[in-house]
Amino acid sequence: MRIDHAQLRALAAVIREGSFERAAQALNVTASAVSQRIKALEDRVGHLLVRRSIPTEATSEGQILVQLAEQTALLEHDALHRMGIADEDLPRASIPIAVNHDSLETWFPEAALTFAQSTGTTLDLHTEDQDHTAALLRQGAVLGAVTTLSEPVQGCQIHALGSIRYAATCTPEFHARHFAKGVNAQSLAQAPVLVFNRKDDLQARYARRLAGAGQPLDAPTWWIPSTRAFVQANLGGLGWTMNPLPLVRRHLESGRLVYVKQRAWEDVPLYWQHWKGEVTTMALLTRAILAASSALVRKRR
């Protein structure tokens, strides 16, 4: 069986863009043409590939072919450039990767800038909690991910990046009001806490470590899905939380924030996992990520 590349590109575009209409705009064809290509591909492979939801989602079989489409496009782009025969008709390449929110707010922009200096390829960034970025890699939605997963995803190569330190912080006034008698199960159950989203369990893990393994973090919770707003809420005394140390170091040094408790931090190891294909642009991206992330190890010491 042979698969038509135009059909593969249509499938990848529908999943990447989230709808048939936006995929059509990206491919410069009609929505009807995109729909026909997807239907022809589904008929050819004998599987439903796209769930017509909002946004569109790939089925498990569709995920496999989306990954194939992304890999094929990257290989084609790389090969033609290495041969010196790439022309203006060749679509610009973009590598879909998943990056956790805090890396995106700290060290990752430096990696992106370094990568941009060496290639015309862009990055299609997907943000997710560091414990969940690997799921996007498994699904075929991305070709690389910054993740806490230390075991390589099937078909991927893994690189250790070091650890990013998260500090449990609050304002001095908040500490005096809620933790003057100690940081324990009772005070943690009553002190308001800031949590990024329902996937963020850093605060719960830290609280369990202090209060006991069997103690849930059943405290008044502010849900704030923005890294910068998270820090501002912490500085405003809204609650205590775990922040990436690079984002709050100067506030700790100035005294605007204090540690919830002495040595109140947790080191979270990060890894870069990417598709194993021998592609120059992926090698350049990996080199940029390893260089930028080296600051994680230096700052931890």
Side-chain angles (χ1 to χ4, degrees):
M1 176 186 294
R2 298 184 64 182
I3 297 177
D4 185 277
H5 283 191
Q7 294 171 1
L8 269 182
R9 286 194 293 271
L11 173 63
V14 165
I15 302 306
R16 182 175 59 251
E17 302 296 332
S19 75
F20 283 76
E21 291 73 19
R22 288 198 293 272
Q25 292 174 3
L27 296 172
N28 199 27
V29 298
T30 65
S32 176
V34 172
S35 182
Q36 290 172 10
R37 291 175 187 180
I38 299 297
K39 181 64 168 60
L41 184 57
E42 289 178 331
D43 289 343
R44 186 161 188 78
V45 300
H47 289 283
L48 180 70
L49 301 176
V50 178
R51 296 190 184 93
R52 272 68 171 176
S53 55
I54 302 175
T56 50
E57 295 180 348
T59 63
S60 56
E61 292 80 10
Q63 290 168 1
I64 296 171
L65 291 184
V66 167
Q67 188 175 48
L68 174 62
E70 299 287 7
Q71 292 172 349
T72 301
L74 196 58
L75 280 169
E76 178 185 27
H77 192 275
D78 186 70
L80 294 180
H81 269 279
R82 285 191 289 116
M83 293 172 66
I85 58 175
D87 55 30
E88 60 185 19
D89 293 329
L90 181 67
R92 289 185 176 274
S94 186
I95 305 177
I97 66 171
V99 183
N100 61 306
H101 306 282
D102 293 330
S103 290
L104 198 58
E105 292 286 351
T106 52
W107 61 270
F108 192 84
E110 182 182 341
L113 290 172
T114 300
F115 177 66
Q117 293 169 2
S118 59
T119 177
T121 301
T122 60
L123 299 179
D124 180 4
L125 295 177
H126 301 242
T127 57
E128 182 56 277
D129 184 86
Q130 61 263 18
D131 294 332
H132 298 270
T133 50
L136 296 176
L137 196 56
R138 291 193 191 94
Q139 293 166 9
V142 298
L143 296 183
V146 177
T147 176
T148 56
L149 185 66
S150 59
E151 295 296 324
V153 172
Q154 184 176 3
C156 290
Q157 187 173 349
I158 187 169
H159 307 265
L161 299 180
S163 295
I164 186 166
R165 174 161 287 181
Y166 286 82
T169 62
C170 62
T171 62
E173 296 78 14
F174 186 95
H175 195 282
R177 186 165 63 251
H178 293 282
F179 299 129
K181 295 183 180 180
V183 183
N184 50 46
Q186 183 178 357
S187 60
L188 287 168
Q190 296 174 354
V193 62
L194 312 179
V195 183
F196 192 89
N197 58 27
R198 268 66 179 179
K199 296 177 181 179
D200 177 13
D201 67 346
L202 271 173
Q203 291 72 215
R205 287 206 308 264
Y206 179 73
R208 285 195 299 269
R209 181 152 59 91
L210 292 181
Q215 295 291 331
L217 181 57
D218 187 18
T221 302
W222 290 87
W223 303 95
I224 306 178
S226 164
T227 301
R228 296 291 175 176
F230 214 64
V231 174
Q232 290 304 311
N234 198 207
L235 287 166
L238 207 57
W240 75 271
T241 194
M242 307 288 290
N243 278 307
L245 187 56
L247 288 183
V248 296
R249 185 191 304 275
R250 61 188 175 93
H251 301 307
L252 287 166
E253 292 172 347
S254 70
R256 293 185 68 191
L257 291 177
V258 297
Y259 288 109
V260 167
K261 191 175 183 179
Q262 187 177 10
R263 298 184 63 82
W265 57 67
E266 179 174 342
D267 291 330
V268 177
L270 294 178
Y271 302 86
W272 165 240
Q273 296 208 35
H274 64 86
W275 172 51
K276 283 183 178 178
E278 295 295 328
V279 181
T280 301
T281 47
M282 185 64 81
L284 291 172
L285 176 58
T286 296
R287 189 180 308 159
I289 287 174
L290 291 176
S293 65
S294 63
L296 295 178
V297 179
R298 290 198 301 270
K299 289 177 181 177
R300 188 184 64 179
R301 292 172 180 169

